[in-house]
Amino acid sequence: MNVISLLTPKAQAAYLYDDFTVRQGLEKLHAHGYTALPVLSREDGSYVGTISEGDFLWGLLDREDNSLRAQEKLPLIQLLRPNFNPAVRIDVTSEQLLDQAMQQSFIPVVDDRGAFVGIVTRQNIIRHLTTPKVDHSERAAYRAAPVFSSVH
């Protein structure tokens, strides 16, 4: 299983930047309808972590002032859990990818410099494993077979 064939590239993935406020993060999470999003460094594009709805909820509940106005000033980075949803390198093995997919709904993928290149979703993995493979050589042989006609 090639990670590139399963990858949703950065250009098509939703993500947040580490300099966002909690309010900006909540608005983007809500707009996309996801339960978690990757967080990237605006400076170098590296993967910083993943933030979930639960992180936002617990972060708001742990604050004395949980008004929307207060969230406009609170940096999103303060809510990130260390080592939650670790990224894999682009050269990850199928076994490692499947192990992580068992634990999380998407796996962030980084290049050898740590720059975020996209995500692999559990849905894409399942689709890849359950879609019947077509043997193109059989299809070509079928097309080349003579067609019988009813000409008398």
Side-chain angles (χ1 to χ4, degrees), residues 10 15-16 18 37-42 44-51 77 80-81 83-88 100 104 106-111 113-119:
K10 177 181 177 180
Y15 53 87
L16 306 172
D18 59 352
L37 285 174
V39 179
L40 311 182
S41 165
R42 190 180 298 272
D44 62 6
S46 63
Y47 173 74
V48 176
T50 292
I51 193 154
I77 197 94
L80 285 179
R81 288 181 281 160
N83 303 316
F84 172 63
N85 202 9
V88 298
Q100 279 199 248
Q104 48 206 61
F106 72 88
I107 301 109
V109 181
V110 296
D111 64 14
R113 297 171 305 128
F116 179 79
V117 294
I119 62 171

PDB file of all heavy atoms in Angstrom, residues 10 15-16 18 37-42 44-51 77 80-81 83-88 100 104 106-111 113-119:
ATOM      1  N   LYS A  10      -2.027  18.500   0.931  1.00  0.00           N
ATOM      2  CA  LYS A  10      -2.197  19.701   1.745  1.00  0.00           C
ATOM      3  C   LYS A  10      -3.144  20.701   1.085  1.00  0.00           C
ATOM      4  O   LYS A  10      -3.987  21.300   1.754  1.00  0.00           O
ATOM      5  CB  LYS A  10      -0.831  20.346   1.991  1.00  0.00           C
ATOM      6  CG  LYS A  10      -0.871  21.637   2.765  1.00  0.00           C
ATOM      7  CD  LYS A  10       0.521  22.211   2.930  1.00  0.00           C
ATOM      8  CE  LYS A  10       0.483  23.547   3.646  1.00  0.00           C
ATOM      9  NZ  LYS A  10       1.836  24.107   3.795  1.00  0.00           N
ATOM     10  N   TYR A  15      -6.815  22.632   7.514  1.00  0.00           N
ATOM     11  CA  TYR A  15      -5.860  22.674   8.618  1.00  0.00           C
ATOM     12  C   TYR A  15      -5.900  24.055   9.254  1.00  0.00           C
ATOM     13  O   TYR A  15      -6.485  24.997   8.702  1.00  0.00           O
ATOM     14  CB  TYR A  15      -4.437  22.331   8.144  1.00  0.00           C
ATOM     15  CG  TYR A  15      -3.949  23.158   6.982  1.00  0.00           C
ATOM     16  CD1 TYR A  15      -3.328  24.385   7.181  1.00  0.00           C
ATOM     17  CD2 TYR A  15      -4.118  22.708   5.679  1.00  0.00           C
ATOM     18  CE1 TYR A  15      -2.895  25.140   6.106  1.00  0.00           C
ATOM     19  CE2 TYR A  15      -3.686  23.460   4.605  1.00  0.00           C
ATOM     20  CZ  TYR A  15      -3.067  24.678   4.822  1.00  0.00           C
ATOM     21  OH  TYR A  15      -2.649  25.431   3.757  1.00  0.00           O
ATOM     22  N   LEU A  16      -5.287  24.156  10.415  1.00  0.00           N
ATOM     23  CA  LEU A  16      -5.200  25.412  11.144  1.00  0.00           C
ATOM     24  C   LEU A  16      -3.732  25.801  11.265  1.00  0.00           C
ATOM     25  O   LEU A  16      -2.850  24.949  11.162  1.00  0.00           O
ATOM     26  CB  LEU A  16      -5.787  25.251  12.556  1.00  0.00           C
ATOM     27  CG  LEU A  16      -7.205  24.708  12.651  1.00  0.00           C
ATOM     28  CD1 LEU A  16      -7.578  24.420  14.097  1.00  0.00           C
ATOM     29  CD2 LEU A  16      -8.182  25.689  12.031  1.00  0.00           C
ATOM     30  N   ASP A  18      -0.687  27.553  13.711  1.00  0.00           N
ATOM     31  CA  ASP A  18      -0.366  27.637  15.133  1.00  0.00           C
ATOM     32  C   ASP A  18      -0.525  29.036  15.714  1.00  0.00           C
ATOM     33  O   ASP A  18      -0.587  29.205  16.926  1.00  0.00           O
ATOM     34  CB  ASP A  18       1.047  27.112  15.406  1.00  0.00           C
ATOM     35  CG  ASP A  18       2.135  27.857  14.643  1.00  0.00           C
ATOM     36  OD1 ASP A  18       1.813  28.696  13.769  1.00  0.00           O
ATOM     37  OD2 ASP A  18       3.328  27.592  14.914  1.00  0.00           O
ATOM     38  N   LEU A  37      -8.597  18.724  13.440  1.00  0.00           N
ATOM     39  CA  LEU A  37      -7.844  19.273  12.309  1.00  0.00           C
ATOM     40  C   LEU A  37      -6.356  19.327  12.659  1.00  0.00           C
ATOM     41  O   LEU A  37      -5.994  19.576  13.812  1.00  0.00           O
ATOM     42  CB  LEU A  37      -8.305  20.697  11.985  1.00  0.00           C
ATOM     43  CG  LEU A  37      -9.642  20.862  11.280  1.00  0.00           C
ATOM     44  CD1 LEU A  37     -10.010  22.339  11.168  1.00  0.00           C
ATOM     45  CD2 LEU A  37      -9.609  20.225   9.903  1.00  0.00           C
ATOM     46  N   PRO A  38      -5.505  19.134  11.649  1.00  0.00           N
ATOM     47  CA  PRO A  38      -4.073  19.309  11.886  1.00  0.00           C
ATOM     48  C   PRO A  38      -3.741  20.782  12.096  1.00  0.00           C
ATOM     49  O   PRO A  38      -4.424  21.663  11.567  1.00  0.00           O
ATOM     50  CB  PRO A  38      -3.415  18.779  10.612  1.00  0.00           C
ATOM     51  CG  PRO A  38      -4.494  18.552   9.624  1.00  0.00           C
ATOM     52  CD  PRO A  38      -5.810  18.687  10.297  1.00  0.00           C
ATOM     53  N   VAL A  39      -2.693  21.018  12.883  1.00  0.00           N
ATOM     54  CA  VAL A  39      -2.214  22.374  13.137  1.00  0.00           C
ATOM     55  C   VAL A  39      -0.793  22.467  12.574  1.00  0.00           C
ATOM     56  O   VAL A  39       0.051  21.617  12.867  1.00  0.00           O
ATOM     57  CB  VAL A  39      -2.212  22.698  14.649  1.00  0.00           C
ATOM     58  CG1 VAL A  39      -1.679  24.109  14.894  1.00  0.00           C
ATOM     59  CG2 VAL A  39      -3.614  22.541  15.236  1.00  0.00           C
ATOM     60  N   LEU A  40      -0.565  23.499  11.764  1.00  0.00           N
ATOM     61  CA  LEU A  40       0.724  23.683  11.101  1.00  0.00           C
ATOM     62  C   LEU A  40       1.398  24.961  11.558  1.00  0.00           C
ATOM     63  O   LEU A  40       0.734  25.923  11.948  1.00  0.00           O
ATOM     64  CB  LEU A  40       0.539  23.764   9.580  1.00  0.00           C
ATOM     65  CG  LEU A  40      -0.310  22.706   8.900  1.00  0.00           C
ATOM     66  CD1 LEU A  40      -0.318  22.931   7.401  1.00  0.00           C
ATOM     67  CD2 LEU A  40       0.175  21.322   9.242  1.00  0.00           C
ATOM     68  N   SER A  41       2.712  24.972  11.469  1.00  0.00           N
ATOM     69  CA  SER A  41       3.475  26.187  11.725  1.00  0.00           C
ATOM     70  C   SER A  41       3.351  27.089  10.506  1.00  0.00           C
ATOM     71  O   SER A  41       3.604  26.651   9.381  1.00  0.00           O
ATOM     72  CB  SER A  41       4.949  25.834  11.952  1.00  0.00           C
ATOM     73  OG  SER A  41       5.742  26.997  11.868  1.00  0.00           O
ATOM     74  N   ARG A  42       2.933  28.300  10.722  1.00  0.00           N
ATOM     75  CA  ARG A  42       2.836  29.234   9.592  1.00  0.00           C
ATOM     76  C   ARG A  42       4.240  29.581   9.085  1.00  0.00           C
ATOM     77  O   ARG A  42       4.446  29.843   7.908  1.00  0.00           O
ATOM     78  CB  ARG A  42       2.107  30.513  10.002  1.00  0.00           C
ATOM     79  CG  ARG A  42       1.797  31.378   8.792  1.00  0.00           C
ATOM     80  CD  ARG A  42       1.084  32.658   9.140  1.00  0.00           C
ATOM     81  NE  ARG A  42      -0.196  32.515   9.753  1.00  0.00           N
ATOM     82  CZ  ARG A  42      -1.357  32.402   9.105  1.00  0.00           C
ATOM     83  NH1 ARG A  42      -1.371  32.342   7.791  1.00  0.00           N
ATOM     84  NH2 ARG A  42      -2.488  32.328   9.772  1.00  0.00           N
ATOM     85  N   ASP A  44       7.144  27.663   8.870  1.00  0.00           N
ATOM     86  CA  ASP A  44       7.846  26.720   7.988  1.00  0.00           C
ATOM     87  C   ASP A  44       6.973  25.595   7.440  1.00  0.00           C
ATOM     88  O   ASP A  44       7.470  24.711   6.746  1.00  0.00           O
ATOM     89  CB  ASP A  44       9.069  26.136   8.695  1.00  0.00           C
ATOM     90  CG  ASP A  44       8.727  25.337   9.934  1.00  0.00           C
ATOM     91  OD1 ASP A  44       7.529  25.117  10.218  1.00  0.00           O
ATOM     92  OD2 ASP A  44       9.667  24.913  10.631  1.00  0.00           O
ATOM     93  N   GLY A  45       5.677  25.596   7.737  1.00  0.00           N
ATOM     94  CA  GLY A  45       4.769  24.575   7.210  1.00  0.00           C
ATOM     95  C   GLY A  45       4.890  23.224   7.872  1.00  0.00           C
ATOM     96  O   GLY A  45       4.314  22.250   7.403  1.00  0.00           O
ATOM     97  N   SER A  46       5.628  23.154   8.973  1.00  0.00           N
ATOM     98  CA  SER A  46       5.778  21.868   9.662  1.00  0.00           C
ATOM     99  C   SER A  46       4.511  21.522  10.437  1.00  0.00           C
ATOM    100  O   SER A  46       3.721  22.393  10.803  1.00  0.00           O
ATOM    101  CB  SER A  46       6.984  21.896  10.604  1.00  0.00           C
ATOM    102  OG  SER A  46       6.786  22.853  11.624  1.00  0.00           O
ATOM    103  N   TYR A  47       4.347  20.228  10.670  1.00  0.00           N
ATOM    104  CA  TYR A  47       3.201  19.736  11.441  1.00  0.00           C
ATOM    105  C   TYR A  47       3.484  19.966  12.915  1.00  0.00           C
ATOM    106  O   TYR A  47       4.508  19.547  13.435  1.00  0.00           O
ATOM    107  CB  TYR A  47       2.996  18.253  11.144  1.00  0.00           C
ATOM    108  CG  TYR A  47       1.943  17.596  12.002  1.00  0.00           C
ATOM    109  CD1 TYR A  47       0.599  17.846  11.787  1.00  0.00           C
ATOM    110  CD2 TYR A  47       2.297  16.711  13.023  1.00  0.00           C
ATOM    111  CE1 TYR A  47      -0.370  17.253  12.568  1.00  0.00           C
ATOM    112  CE2 TYR A  47       1.329  16.111  13.808  1.00  0.00           C
ATOM    113  CZ  TYR A  47       0.001  16.388  13.576  1.00  0.00           C
ATOM    114  OH  TYR A  47      -0.959  15.790  14.359  1.00  0.00           O
ATOM    115  N   VAL A  48       2.563  20.651  13.597  1.00  0.00           N
ATOM    116  CA  VAL A  48       2.731  20.970  15.012  1.00  0.00           C
ATOM    117  C   VAL A  48       1.937  19.996  15.882  1.00  0.00           C
ATOM    118  O   VAL A  48       2.384  19.592  16.951  1.00  0.00           O
ATOM    119  CB  VAL A  48       2.286  22.428  15.297  1.00  0.00           C
ATOM    120  CG1 VAL A  48       2.361  22.747  16.770  1.00  0.00           C
ATOM    121  CG2 VAL A  48       3.112  23.406  14.484  1.00  0.00           C
ATOM    122  N   GLY A  49       0.754  19.605  15.426  1.00  0.00           N
ATOM    123  CA  GLY A  49      -0.105  18.704  16.191  1.00  0.00           C
ATOM    124  C   GLY A  49      -1.498  18.684  15.599  1.00  0.00           C
ATOM    125  O   GLY A  49      -1.744  19.238  14.533  1.00  0.00           O
ATOM    126  N   THR A  50      -2.394  18.042  16.320  1.00  0.00           N
ATOM    127  CA  THR A  50      -3.801  17.980  15.922  1.00  0.00           C
ATOM    128  C   THR A  50      -4.633  18.494  17.081  1.00  0.00           C
ATOM    129  O   THR A  50      -4.346  18.197  18.237  1.00  0.00           O
ATOM    130  CB  THR A  50      -4.208  16.534  15.575  1.00  0.00           C
ATOM    131  OG1 THR A  50      -3.525  16.131  14.391  1.00  0.00           O
ATOM    132  CG2 THR A  50      -5.705  16.404  15.340  1.00  0.00           C
ATOM    133  N   ILE A  51      -5.660  19.237  16.766  1.00  0.00           N
ATOM    134  CA  ILE A  51      -6.574  19.731  17.791  1.00  0.00           C
ATOM    135  C   ILE A  51      -7.966  19.184  17.499  1.00  0.00           C
ATOM    136  O   ILE A  51      -8.398  19.120  16.351  1.00  0.00           O
ATOM    137  CB  ILE A  51      -6.571  21.273  17.881  1.00  0.00           C
ATOM    138  CG1 ILE A  51      -7.282  21.723  19.148  1.00  0.00           C
ATOM    139  CG2 ILE A  51      -7.152  21.905  16.633  1.00  0.00           C
ATOM    140  CD1 ILE A  51      -6.824  23.067  19.651  1.00  0.00           C
ATOM    141  N   ILE A  77      -2.535  27.349  20.182  1.00  0.00           N
ATOM    142  CA  ILE A  77      -1.413  26.476  20.531  1.00  0.00           C
ATOM    143  C   ILE A  77      -1.459  26.046  21.997  1.00  0.00           C
ATOM    144  O   ILE A  77      -0.962  24.971  22.351  1.00  0.00           O
ATOM    145  CB  ILE A  77      -0.064  27.166  20.179  1.00  0.00           C
ATOM    146  CG1 ILE A  77       1.070  26.170  20.144  1.00  0.00           C
ATOM    147  CG2 ILE A  77       0.262  28.290  21.108  1.00  0.00           C
ATOM    148  CD1 ILE A  77       1.341  25.642  18.795  1.00  0.00           C
ATOM    149  N   LEU A  80      -3.230  22.551  22.495  1.00  0.00           N
ATOM    150  CA  LEU A  80      -2.707  21.324  21.884  1.00  0.00           C
ATOM    151  C   LEU A  80      -2.186  20.349  22.941  1.00  0.00           C
ATOM    152  O   LEU A  80      -1.493  20.751  23.870  1.00  0.00           O
ATOM    153  CB  LEU A  80      -1.570  21.637  20.909  1.00  0.00           C
ATOM    154  CG  LEU A  80      -1.956  22.223  19.577  1.00  0.00           C
ATOM    155  CD1 LEU A  80      -0.707  22.488  18.750  1.00  0.00           C
ATOM    156  CD2 LEU A  80      -2.893  21.312  18.820  1.00  0.00           C
ATOM    157  N   ARG A  81      -2.542  19.081  22.761  1.00  0.00           N
ATOM    158  CA  ARG A  81      -2.015  18.023  23.631  1.00  0.00           C
ATOM    159  C   ARG A  81      -0.713  17.497  23.038  1.00  0.00           C
ATOM    160  O   ARG A  81      -0.667  17.184  21.846  1.00  0.00           O
ATOM    161  CB  ARG A  81      -3.004  16.862  23.736  1.00  0.00           C
ATOM    162  CG  ARG A  81      -4.220  17.186  24.562  1.00  0.00           C
ATOM    163  CD  ARG A  81      -5.130  15.993  24.644  1.00  0.00           C
ATOM    164  NE  ARG A  81      -5.890  15.906  23.392  1.00  0.00           N
ATOM    165  CZ  ARG A  81      -6.492  14.806  22.964  1.00  0.00           C
ATOM    166  NH1 ARG A  81      -6.400  13.686  23.646  1.00  0.00           N
ATOM    167  NH2 ARG A  81      -7.176  14.808  21.839  1.00  0.00           N
ATOM    168  N   ASN A  83       2.008  15.059  21.714  1.00  0.00           N
ATOM    169  CA  ASN A  83       2.031  13.699  21.151  1.00  0.00           C
ATOM    170  C   ASN A  83       0.666  13.137  20.772  1.00  0.00           C
ATOM    171  O   ASN A  83       0.523  11.925  20.622  1.00  0.00           O
ATOM    172  CB  ASN A  83       2.738  12.737  22.107  1.00  0.00           C
ATOM    173  CG  ASN A  83       4.143  13.187  22.412  1.00  0.00           C
ATOM    174  OD1 ASN A  83       4.883  13.593  21.515  1.00  0.00           O
ATOM    175  ND2 ASN A  83       4.524  13.149  23.677  1.00  0.00           N
ATOM    176  N   PHE A  84      -0.337  13.989  20.615  1.00  0.00           N
ATOM    177  CA  PHE A  84      -1.647  13.517  20.161  1.00  0.00           C
ATOM    178  C   PHE A  84      -1.628  13.478  18.643  1.00  0.00           C
ATOM    179  O   PHE A  84      -1.297  14.459  17.996  1.00  0.00           O
ATOM    180  CB  PHE A  84      -2.767  14.434  20.660  1.00  0.00           C
ATOM    181  CG  PHE A  84      -4.116  14.128  20.072  1.00  0.00           C
ATOM    182  CD1 PHE A  84      -4.729  12.912  20.309  1.00  0.00           C
ATOM    183  CD2 PHE A  84      -4.763  15.051  19.274  1.00  0.00           C
ATOM    184  CE1 PHE A  84      -5.967  12.622  19.755  1.00  0.00           C
ATOM    185  CE2 PHE A  84      -6.013  14.777  18.727  1.00  0.00           C
ATOM    186  CZ  PHE A  84      -6.612  13.560  18.966  1.00  0.00           C
ATOM    187  N   ASN A  85      -1.980  12.350  18.064  1.00  0.00           N
ATOM    188  CA  ASN A  85      -2.059  12.147  16.625  1.00  0.00           C
ATOM    189  C   ASN A  85      -0.720  12.439  15.929  1.00  0.00           C
ATOM    190  O   ASN A  85      -0.623  13.341  15.094  1.00  0.00           O
ATOM    191  CB  ASN A  85      -3.171  13.006  16.025  1.00  0.00           C
ATOM    192  CG  ASN A  85      -3.676  12.487  14.700  1.00  0.00           C
ATOM    193  OD1 ASN A  85      -3.341  11.402  14.270  1.00  0.00           O
ATOM    194  ND2 ASN A  85      -4.489  13.289  14.042  1.00  0.00           N
ATOM    195  N   PRO A  86       0.302  11.656  16.247  1.00  0.00           N
ATOM    196  CA  PRO A  86       1.615  11.907  15.650  1.00  0.00           C
ATOM    197  C   PRO A  86       1.600  11.702  14.137  1.00  0.00           C
ATOM    198  O   PRO A  86       0.856  10.874  13.612  1.00  0.00           O
ATOM    199  CB  PRO A  86       2.520  10.882  16.336  1.00  0.00           C
ATOM    200  CG  PRO A  86       1.602   9.814  16.815  1.00  0.00           C
ATOM    201  CD  PRO A  86       0.287  10.481  17.105  1.00  0.00           C
ATOM    202  N   ALA A  87       2.447  12.453  13.459  1.00  0.00           N
ATOM    203  CA  ALA A  87       2.558  12.352  12.001  1.00  0.00           C
ATOM    204  C   ALA A  87       3.437  11.165  11.632  1.00  0.00           C
ATOM    205  O   ALA A  87       4.234  10.678  12.439  1.00  0.00           O
ATOM    206  CB  ALA A  87       3.167  13.635  11.445  1.00  0.00           C
ATOM    207  N   VAL A  88       3.262  10.706  10.390  1.00  0.00           N
ATOM    208  CA  VAL A  88       4.137   9.678   9.837  1.00  0.00           C
ATOM    209  C   VAL A  88       4.899  10.297   8.669  1.00  0.00           C
ATOM    210  O   VAL A  88       4.449  11.269   8.069  1.00  0.00           O
ATOM    211  CB  VAL A  88       3.352   8.429   9.356  1.00  0.00           C
ATOM    212  CG1 VAL A  88       2.629   7.775  10.508  1.00  0.00           C
ATOM    213  CG2 VAL A  88       2.379   8.776   8.240  1.00  0.00           C
ATOM    214  N   GLN A 100      -1.737   3.064  12.995  1.00  0.00           N
ATOM    215  CA  GLN A 100      -2.189   4.402  13.378  1.00  0.00           C
ATOM    216  C   GLN A 100      -3.632   4.647  12.979  1.00  0.00           C
ATOM    217  O   GLN A 100      -4.368   5.327  13.692  1.00  0.00           O
ATOM    218  CB  GLN A 100      -1.264   5.466  12.802  1.00  0.00           C
ATOM    219  CG  GLN A 100      -0.030   5.623  13.668  1.00  0.00           C
ATOM    220  CD  GLN A 100       0.678   6.921  13.437  1.00  0.00           C
ATOM    221  OE1 GLN A 100       1.771   6.913  12.917  1.00  0.00           O
ATOM    222  NE2 GLN A 100       0.088   8.015  13.818  1.00  0.00           N
ATOM    223  N   GLN A 104      -6.790   6.543  15.064  1.00  0.00           N
ATOM    224  CA  GLN A 104      -7.198   7.897  14.710  1.00  0.00           C
ATOM    225  C   GLN A 104      -7.854   7.916  13.333  1.00  0.00           C
ATOM    226  O   GLN A 104      -7.587   7.057  12.507  1.00  0.00           O
ATOM    227  CB  GLN A 104      -5.984   8.833  14.762  1.00  0.00           C
ATOM    228  CG  GLN A 104      -4.769   8.283  14.046  1.00  0.00           C
ATOM    229  CD  GLN A 104      -3.453   8.823  14.560  1.00  0.00           C
ATOM    230  OE1 GLN A 104      -3.112   8.635  15.725  1.00  0.00           O
ATOM    231  NE2 GLN A 104      -2.713   9.471  13.704  1.00  0.00           N
ATOM    232  N   PHE A 106      -7.619  10.202  10.973  1.00  0.00           N
ATOM    233  CA  PHE A 106      -6.712  10.620   9.905  1.00  0.00           C
ATOM    234  C   PHE A 106      -5.289  10.616  10.439  1.00  0.00           C
ATOM    235  O   PHE A 106      -5.058  10.779  11.638  1.00  0.00           O
ATOM    236  CB  PHE A 106      -7.075  11.993   9.319  1.00  0.00           C
ATOM    237  CG  PHE A 106      -6.784  13.162  10.223  1.00  0.00           C
ATOM    238  CD1 PHE A 106      -5.539  13.783  10.217  1.00  0.00           C
ATOM    239  CD2 PHE A 106      -7.757  13.663  11.068  1.00  0.00           C
ATOM    240  CE1 PHE A 106      -5.281  14.859  11.046  1.00  0.00           C
ATOM    241  CE2 PHE A 106      -7.510  14.746  11.894  1.00  0.00           C
ATOM    242  CZ  PHE A 106      -6.261  15.349  11.885  1.00  0.00           C
ATOM    243  N   ILE A 107      -4.368  10.410   9.516  1.00  0.00           N
ATOM    244  CA  ILE A 107      -2.957  10.376   9.875  1.00  0.00           C
ATOM    245  C   ILE A 107      -2.257  11.494   9.118  1.00  0.00           C
ATOM    246  O   ILE A 107      -2.266  11.515   7.883  1.00  0.00           O
ATOM    247  CB  ILE A 107      -2.311   9.015   9.519  1.00  0.00           C
ATOM    248  CG1 ILE A 107      -3.028   7.880  10.249  1.00  0.00           C
ATOM    249  CG2 ILE A 107      -0.840   9.006   9.870  1.00  0.00           C
ATOM    250  CD1 ILE A 107      -3.830   7.021   9.367  1.00  0.00           C
ATOM    251  N   PRO A 108      -1.649  12.435   9.839  1.00  0.00           N
ATOM    252  CA  PRO A 108      -0.891  13.491   9.169  1.00  0.00           C
ATOM    253  C   PRO A 108       0.381  12.889   8.554  1.00  0.00           C
ATOM    254  O   PRO A 108       1.006  12.011   9.139  1.00  0.00           O
ATOM    255  CB  PRO A 108      -0.522  14.457  10.299  1.00  0.00           C
ATOM    256  CG  PRO A 108      -1.345  14.032  11.467  1.00  0.00           C
ATOM    257  CD  PRO A 108      -1.705  12.625  11.275  1.00  0.00           C
ATOM    258  N   VAL A 109       0.743  13.372   7.368  1.00  0.00           N
ATOM    259  CA  VAL A 109       1.933  12.870   6.675  1.00  0.00           C
ATOM    260  C   VAL A 109       2.887  14.044   6.457  1.00  0.00           C
ATOM    261  O   VAL A 109       2.474  15.121   6.026  1.00  0.00           O
ATOM    262  CB  VAL A 109       1.555  12.220   5.325  1.00  0.00           C
ATOM    263  CG1 VAL A 109       2.789  11.682   4.612  1.00  0.00           C
ATOM    264  CG2 VAL A 109       0.526  11.118   5.531  1.00  0.00           C
ATOM    265  N   VAL A 110       4.173  13.799   6.765  1.00  0.00           N
ATOM    266  CA  VAL A 110       5.208  14.820   6.597  1.00  0.00           C
ATOM    267  C   VAL A 110       6.317  14.279   5.702  1.00  0.00           C
ATOM    268  O   VAL A 110       6.477  13.066   5.568  1.00  0.00           O
ATOM    269  CB  VAL A 110       5.793  15.280   7.952  1.00  0.00           C
ATOM    270  CG1 VAL A 110       4.731  15.956   8.804  1.00  0.00           C
ATOM    271  CG2 VAL A 110       6.430  14.120   8.700  1.00  0.00           C
ATOM    272  N   ASP A 111       7.068  15.202   5.117  1.00  0.00           N
ATOM    273  CA  ASP A 111       8.213  14.786   4.312  1.00  0.00           C
ATOM    274  C   ASP A 111       9.429  14.600   5.224  1.00  0.00           C
ATOM    275  O   ASP A 111       9.312  14.713   6.450  1.00  0.00           O
ATOM    276  CB  ASP A 111       8.472  15.765   3.166  1.00  0.00           C
ATOM    277  CG  ASP A 111       8.877  17.162   3.625  1.00  0.00           C
ATOM    278  OD1 ASP A 111       9.227  17.358   4.814  1.00  0.00           O
ATOM    279  OD2 ASP A 111       8.857  18.080   2.783  1.00  0.00           O
ATOM    280  N   ARG A 113      11.765  16.499   5.898  1.00  0.00           N
ATOM    281  CA  ARG A 113      12.120  17.716   6.640  1.00  0.00           C
ATOM    282  C   ARG A 113      11.098  18.047   7.725  1.00  0.00           C
ATOM    283  O   ARG A 113      11.234  19.029   8.431  1.00  0.00           O
ATOM    284  CB  ARG A 113      12.236  18.906   5.686  1.00  0.00           C
ATOM    285  CG  ARG A 113      13.334  18.776   4.641  1.00  0.00           C
ATOM    286  CD  ARG A 113      13.263  19.888   3.597  1.00  0.00           C
ATOM    287  NE  ARG A 113      11.937  19.900   2.991  1.00  0.00           N
ATOM    288  CZ  ARG A 113      11.152  20.974   2.896  1.00  0.00           C
ATOM    289  NH1 ARG A 113      11.556  22.133   3.334  1.00  0.00           N
ATOM    290  NH2 ARG A 113       9.960  20.892   2.341  1.00  0.00           N
ATOM    291  N   GLY A 114      10.019  17.256   7.798  1.00  0.00           N
ATOM    292  CA  GLY A 114       8.968  17.519   8.773  1.00  0.00           C
ATOM    293  C   GLY A 114       7.869  18.427   8.264  1.00  0.00           C
ATOM    294  O   GLY A 114       6.962  18.778   9.010  1.00  0.00           O
ATOM    295  N   ALA A 115       7.946  18.817   6.999  1.00  0.00           N
ATOM    296  CA  ALA A 115       6.912  19.685   6.411  1.00  0.00           C
ATOM    297  C   ALA A 115       5.663  18.857   6.122  1.00  0.00           C
ATOM    298  O   ALA A 115       5.740  17.745   5.595  1.00  0.00           O
ATOM    299  CB  ALA A 115       7.422  20.334   5.133  1.00  0.00           C
ATOM    300  N   PHE A 116       4.530  19.396   6.463  1.00  0.00           N
ATOM    301  CA  PHE A 116       3.242  18.751   6.259  1.00  0.00           C
ATOM    302  C   PHE A 116       2.954  18.645   4.765  1.00  0.00           C
ATOM    303  O   PHE A 116       3.022  19.631   4.039  1.00  0.00           O
ATOM    304  CB  PHE A 116       2.157  19.586   6.951  1.00  0.00           C
ATOM    305  CG  PHE A 116       0.764  19.065   6.815  1.00  0.00           C
ATOM    306  CD1 PHE A 116       0.321  18.011   7.599  1.00  0.00           C
ATOM    307  CD2 PHE A 116      -0.130  19.643   5.928  1.00  0.00           C
ATOM    308  CE1 PHE A 116      -0.975  17.542   7.491  1.00  0.00           C
ATOM    309  CE2 PHE A 116      -1.431  19.193   5.816  1.00  0.00           C
ATOM    310  CZ  PHE A 116      -1.851  18.138   6.602  1.00  0.00           C
ATOM    311  N   VAL A 117       2.632  17.422   4.303  1.00  0.00           N
ATOM    312  CA  VAL A 117       2.303  17.236   2.884  1.00  0.00           C
ATOM    313  C   VAL A 117       0.847  16.838   2.676  1.00  0.00           C
ATOM    314  O   VAL A 117       0.339  16.912   1.563  1.00  0.00           O
ATOM    315  CB  VAL A 117       3.235  16.213   2.191  1.00  0.00           C
ATOM    316  CG1 VAL A 117       4.657  16.739   2.140  1.00  0.00           C
ATOM    317  CG2 VAL A 117       3.176  14.862   2.853  1.00  0.00           C
ATOM    318  N   GLY A 118       0.159  16.401   3.738  1.00  0.00           N
ATOM    319  CA  GLY A 118      -1.246  16.033   3.610  1.00  0.00           C
ATOM    320  C   GLY A 118      -1.663  15.049   4.679  1.00  0.00           C
ATOM    321  O   GLY A 118      -0.959  14.857   5.674  1.00  0.00           O
ATOM    322  N   ILE A 119      -2.820  14.428   4.462  1.00  0.00           N
ATOM    323  CA  ILE A 119      -3.339  13.447   5.421  1.00  0.00           C
ATOM    324  C   ILE A 119      -3.771  12.177   4.683  1.00  0.00           C
ATOM    325  O   ILE A 119      -4.104  12.220   3.499  1.00  0.00           O
ATOM    326  CB  ILE A 119      -4.545  14.000   6.229  1.00  0.00           C
ATOM    327  CG1 ILE A 119      -5.716  14.348   5.298  1.00  0.00           C
ATOM    328  CG2 ILE A 119      -4.140  15.182   7.088  1.00  0.00           C
ATOM    329  CD1 ILE A 119      -7.014  14.685   6.009  1.00  0.00           C
TER     330      ILE A 119
END
